[in-house]
Amino acid sequence: MNSETTSRLSLQIMDGIAVLTLDNAERPINLVDDAFLTELESAIGQLATSGAKGLVILSAKAKVFLAGADLHSLGSLRGEALSAMITRGQQVFESIARLRLPTVAAIHGACLGGGLELALACRQRIASDSHSTKIGFPETQLGLLPAWGGSTRLPRLLGLPKALSLILSGKQLDAGGAKHVGLIDEIVPKERLLERAIALIEGRSPQRKTHFWTNNSLVAALIRQSSQRQLLAKTHGHYPALLTALDVVSRAGMSPQASTAASFERERNAFLELVEGDTTHQLIRLFFLQEDAKSRRYDEGVDIRSLPPTRSTAVIGAGVMGSGIAQFTAARGIPVLLADIDAARVAQGMKSVARLFDEAVRRHIFTPHEAERKRDLVAPTADPVSLRGCDLVIEAAVENLEVKKKIFADLCARSSDRTVLATNTSALPITELAKSDGITHPERILGIHFFNPVSRMKLVEIVVTELTSPETVERALAFVRVLGKTPVVVKDSPGFLVNRILMPYLVEAARLVESGVSVARIDQAMLDFGMPMGPLRLLDEIGLDVAGHVASTMTAAFGDRFAIPALLDQLTSEGKLGRKSGSGFYDYDHRRETPCVFQCSQDQPGLDHIARQLADCMSREAQLCLDEKIVADADSIDLAMVLGTGYAPFRGGPMKYQSILSERAAT
Ligand code: NAI
């Protein structure tokens, strides 16, 4: 046999070396499904009689080595069928591990989950230096754990602490990070992957560390205990996959080869139990919603191929948000003109851009050279230069409608009729902006609302006015997707979607303080509920003056459920504005925050009671948003709240939370 091609891979013998190329003929990426395992099994079977002296596994896809299990096909299996699928994957990968030949995984692109499990079954791994190369185990983020041998092989390769850190965080490493932890042996330019893999096959096998000092059963038990305490403190026990993975991985490290089978069985049993849990259902649902949001069309009637791509942009206002948006846009290779009212402010903005690129270098996102090249894509200006060549302009100047109206009239005069003009306003009426004096072609005006900090927050609200054309919306969606963010389309209405749902919850938390419930208790209740931060800490972060301003705008639009309690007004008038002024609901002193004590009643309500009351505020407002058609469906609300506010992902979002409560009440 010299060459054999099936629908998901091909096997070729080149100068005595078997080259297995992963290349799913039916889709743009490679995934592990039943057919993949069948074809892989057959290819490995053929190797025995091929006389090959080594095996290289690589991918023919542009950006993917092997992106993990096909969750759609895995999700359709239950019970015995699922158990058999896990066993099969373990066996096929184990048959690679047992080959009496040198084996090298030559990784370019996403090598995640099941993809990494395949790579771990090889004796050596090398990876391309490309940005597309991402290596990791995202399973715990979906409420699962690696169960095709990954939870067993990783601690044996890296030692328990590093393996746990990778599996429990779900982190995806670039080639540099993967080399640093010992996951891959070498980094190679993409074009040289095969040549280098062949050279490794012809060289000596590397000696691997045994990790005795971290993996022996005594140390492993200590690591397990202390990690368990940390996990419980951090997650309040809401994410069972983390505890389960900790248990399985920490017992796998020192198993002699004979007990690999026992470790595989623990992986399989744990997976089968986790997959039935509510948490896993919600996390997988959110994963699919996010995938859907990446490709969802606003209007199928628009021929998106005829729309101009965004090749050149401008950002007006070089403050916190403007510099963040400019940096993120340049980081994706799109040139940006960054403008502000004078040279000093532009220079300040450029400093922030440079700082954000430095941070990206520290986080191994870019090499120093790449960061410099990308930074050069941001051009500063304080002059009213022509914007005719810009495809998209994002205004991120001060939150003042009159200022924004002037800026937009000026933008209309300086840009071409087809330039999309977007505002990053948090709460101002975009329709009014689009209808104001001096505006030409209001159909190209909309909101592109980023969240702070831009580099970390995945959600972007695309805010559509009654005048915005579907083409403009599709162009904005395409731009946001190029940035790698998740867009949710919302109707222009005060607070849009996320801030509108958040506001009554924050106001209600402040009202509870006024009624005598302690600050610490309220925030604790919502941390226990699964929010990343308590509502009163969040109010302090936003700034009590800013929150008060937004709440009064929304009271004018929607009525008293947004009305600010007198306590908030009082704190603001005393200059207690939250973190930025050193005091608010907390006192801030050298990075420590102490909850302030207001009048506390003797009878404090239970934590569950508080959480229920506050979570209900969000769910009620979410339902109103749906009724008013601010957003297309309940799923979009859940996704936006999880990505935009960190709403407890395991609860699935405010709509899902409410529907589960209603179902329970009905049974
Ligand atoms: P900022 O105060 O940090 O920056 C505003 C910048 O706009 C300043 O540098 C100012 O000199 C500049 N500016 C003012 N008038 C201008 C004009 N006529 N032309 C050009 N530049 C002008 O404000 P920040 O926080 O960056 O907010 C900007 C916008 O983004 C606001 O509309 C705000 O509501 C919105 N936003 C803010 C978020 C936040 O967390 N800070 C989150 C999401 C949206």
Side-chain angles (χ1 to χ4, degrees):
M1 175 218 47
N2 276 330
S3 164
E4 165 113 10
T5 302
T6 53
S7 70
R8 280 158 176 72
L9 43 88
S10 69
L11 184 66
Q12 263 184 307
I13 307 291
M14 291 166 53
D15 297 331
I17 291 181
V19 179
L20 183 72
T21 307
L22 313 180
D23 190 9
N24 189 323
E26 291 147 22
R27 29 195 335 175
I29 59 171
N30 296 317
L31 291 171
V32 183
D33 59 9
D34 210 35
F36 176 84
L37 289 176
T38 305
E39 292 180 23
L40 186 58
E41 196 172 21
S42 145
I44 302 303
Q46 289 172 42
L47 267 184
T49 54
S50 70
K53 58 184 178 196
L55 168 68
V56 178
I57 304 181
L58 43 74
S59 159
K61 299 295 188 199
K63 291 187 175 171
V64 172
F65 174 74
L66 183 57
D70 179 346
L71 283 176
H72 282 290
S73 84
L74 208 65
S76 63
L77 303 175
R78 281 283 169 276
E80 284 300 309
L82 183 57
S83 176
M85 172 79 171
I86 298 171
T87 307
R88 191 133 175 272
Q90 291 178 339
Q91 283 169 349
V92 177
F93 292 170
E94 181 66 2
S95 68
I96 294 175
R98 287 180 180 229
L99 283 173
R100 291 174 185 277
L101 320 160
T103 48
V104 179
I107 303 163
H108 165 73
C111 173
L112 303 171
L116 179 52
E117 295 184 294
L118 170 65
L120 284 173
C122 295
R123 285 196 210 157
Q124 296 184 70
R125 284 152 296 283
I126 58 175
S128 81
D129 55 4
S130 154
H131 275 308
S132 313
T133 297
K134 285 183 273 174
I135 306 179
F137 278 128
E139 282 85 344
T140 52
Q141 308 290 301
L142 297 173
L144 299 167
L145 85 168
W148 280 326
S151 296
T152 304
R153 289 200 175 93
L154 196 68
R156 293 180 187 182
L157 178 71
L158 303 186
L160 189 50
K162 284 183 190 167
L164 281 176
S165 154
L166 258 185
I167 290 177
L168 300 181
S169 67
K171 229 187 275 169
Q172 299 182 11
L173 303 175
D174 62 4
K179 171 93 171 33
H180 183 70
V181 296
L183 201 47
I184 59 166
D185 300 297
E186 285 185 24
I187 305 174
V188 182
K190 177 179 180 257
E191 307 70 44
R192 293 197 48 227
L193 269 180
L194 179 58
E195 171 196 332
R196 189 63 200 136
I198 291 173
L200 286 178
I201 285 194
E202 284 167 347
R204 282 166 144 229
S205 279
Q207 286 291 318
R208 301 276 180 213
K209 281 194 198 164
T210 60
H211 301 292
F212 174 79
W213 294 110
T214 55
N215 290 17
N216 73 68
S217 51
L218 195 65
V219 174
L222 289 174
I223 292 177
R224 187 162 56 241
Q225 267 173 19
S226 76
S227 306
Q228 203 171 40
R229 268 197 305 275
Q230 284 168 16
L231 281 177
L232 282 171
K234 200 168 146 202
T235 66
H236 304 261
H238 291 317
Y239 296 89
L242 296 175
L243 296 170
T244 307
L246 169 64
D247 190 62
V248 173
V249 176
S250 65
R251 289 177 202 281
M254 266 316 280
S255 305
Q257 282 308 312
S259 70
T260 293
S263 189
F264 281 4
E265 195 177 333
R266 280 194 292 272
E267 285 184 2
R268 184 176 51 245
N269 292 341
F271 189 99
L272 290 171
E273 194 179 320
L274 287 171
V275 85
E276 295 297 338
D278 288 343
T279 298
T280 308
H281 286 173
Q282 295 312 335
L283 296 179
I284 291 180
R285 167 178 163 263
L286 287 167
F287 170 81
F288 282 133
L289 291 181
Q290 208 171 337
E291 289 298 296
D292 178 54
K294 282 183 191 162
S295 56
R296 194 177 208 185
R297 294 283 306 275
Y298 174 70
D299 184 340
E300 294 287 345
V302 176
D303 176 9
I304 47 173
R305 283 163 311 178
S306 68
L307 299 176
T310 299
R311 294 218 175 90
S312 169
T313 62
V315 173
I316 311 299
V320 175
M321 294 305 287
S323 53
I325 297 166
Q327 187 270 340
F328 209 81
T329 306
R332 293 294 179 279
I334 302 173
V336 197
L337 192 66
L338 181 59
D340 208 304
I341 43 177
D342 57 42
R345 286 177 218 234
V346 178
Q348 195 58 35
M350 290 300 283
K351 249 194 197 162
S352 305
V353 169
R355 192 176 36 77
L356 289 165
F357 273 116
D358 288 347
E359 193 185 313
V361 170
R362 270 198 306 281
R363 291 172 58 208
H364 297 285
I365 296 169
F366 297 123
T367 63
H369 176 63
E370 283 166 342
E372 203 181 309
R373 264 192 12 234
K374 306 262 185 195
R375 207 181 52 202
D376 287 348
L377 292 175
V378 186
T381 183
D383 302 322
V385 292
S386 167
L387 300 172
R388 297 207 146 264
C390 281
D391 301 304
L392 174 87
V393 180
I394 302 175
E395 170 278 321
V398 280
E399 188 74 341
N400 175 312
L401 188 57
E402 290 317 308
V403 171
K404 287 191 195 290
K405 281 182 180 173
K406 279 199 191 114
I407 292 176
F408 269 75
D410 174 51
L411 289 178
C412 287
R414 285 200 281 145
S415 61
S416 101
D417 295 350
R418 295 211 67 193
T419 305
V420 172
L421 300 180
T423 171
N424 185 51
T425 178
S426 316
L428 296 174
I430 304 176
T431 309
E432 188 180 332
L433 189 64
K435 287 182 177 171
S436 59
D437 291 345
I439 298 298
T440 52
H441 295 282
E443 74 282 356
R444 39 77 182 257
I445 292 179
L446 84 174
I448 300 187
H449 182 217
F450 289 84
F451 288 73
N452 187 13
V454 177
S455 60
R456 303 222 173 205
M457 298 299 285
K458 285 191 184 141
L459 182 73
V460 174
E461 287 178 327
I462 303 286
V463 190
V464 180
T465 78
E466 62 201 55
L467 305 173
T468 313
S469 69
E471 287 77 10
T472 303
V473 180
E474 292 289 1
R475 285 175 70 188
L477 282 171
F479 168 69
V480 167
R481 284 174 184 139
V482 167
L483 296 191
K485 301 283 183 199
T486 305
V488 171
V489 177
V490 303
K491 199 166 82 179
D492 180 30
S493 159
F496 312 136
L497 181 70
V498 169
N499 287 339
R500 167 151 173 206
I501 295 174
L502 200 60
M503 221 45 203
Y505 157 75
L506 297 179
V507 166
E508 185 72 3
R511 277 192 203 130
L512 281 177
V513 179
E514 210 174 46
S515 73
V517 186
S518 83
V519 168
R521 199 163 178 78
I522 294 167
D523 275 359
Q524 188 58 47
M526 292 320 288
L527 288 173
D528 287 354
F529 180 83
M531 300 301 281
M533 183 184 276
L536 300 166
R537 269 287 319 279
L538 183 56
L539 273 169
D540 272 4
E541 290 296 325
I542 294 170
L544 303 192
D545 52 339
V546 176
H549 183 70
V550 176
S552 38
T553 311
M554 292 172 66
T555 310
F558 302 116
D560 278 352
R561 63 186 185 279
F562 289 90
I564 322 163
L567 174 66
L568 207 76
D569 262 345
Q570 185 197 324
L571 288 171
T572 308
S573 63
E574 288 169 7
K576 295 181 172 173
L577 308 179
R579 182 186 278 284
K580 62 187 170 190
S581 68
S583 179
F585 286 103
Y586 288 76
D587 279 329
Y588 297 87
D589 177 25
H590 299 298
R591 293 175 149 245
R592 269 197 58 208
E593 57 263 345
T594 319
C596 296
V597 178
F598 299 91
Q599 271 187 343
C600 281
S601 58
Q602 286 291 325
D603 275 344
Q604 292 285 311
L607 293 174
D608 284 351
H609 179 85
I610 297 171
R612 176 80 185 267
Q613 184 174 342
L614 292 176
D616 280 353
C617 288
M618 283 191 269
S619 296
R620 263 199 308 274
E621 200 63 37
Q623 183 61 51
L624 288 171
C625 288
L626 189 64
D627 297 344
E628 291 168 28
K629 299 194 168 42
I630 300 297
V631 65
D633 49 43
D635 282 346
S636 300
I637 296 180
D638 282 346
L639 182 66
M641 289 305 285
V642 170
L643 297 185
T645 71
Y647 187 103
F650 77 99
R651 297 192 188 271
M655 297 300 290
K656 183 53 85 177
Y657 170 72
Q658 195 53 48
S659 79
I660 290 174
L661 284 188
S662 309
E663 269 169 36
R664 280 197 198 137
T667 53

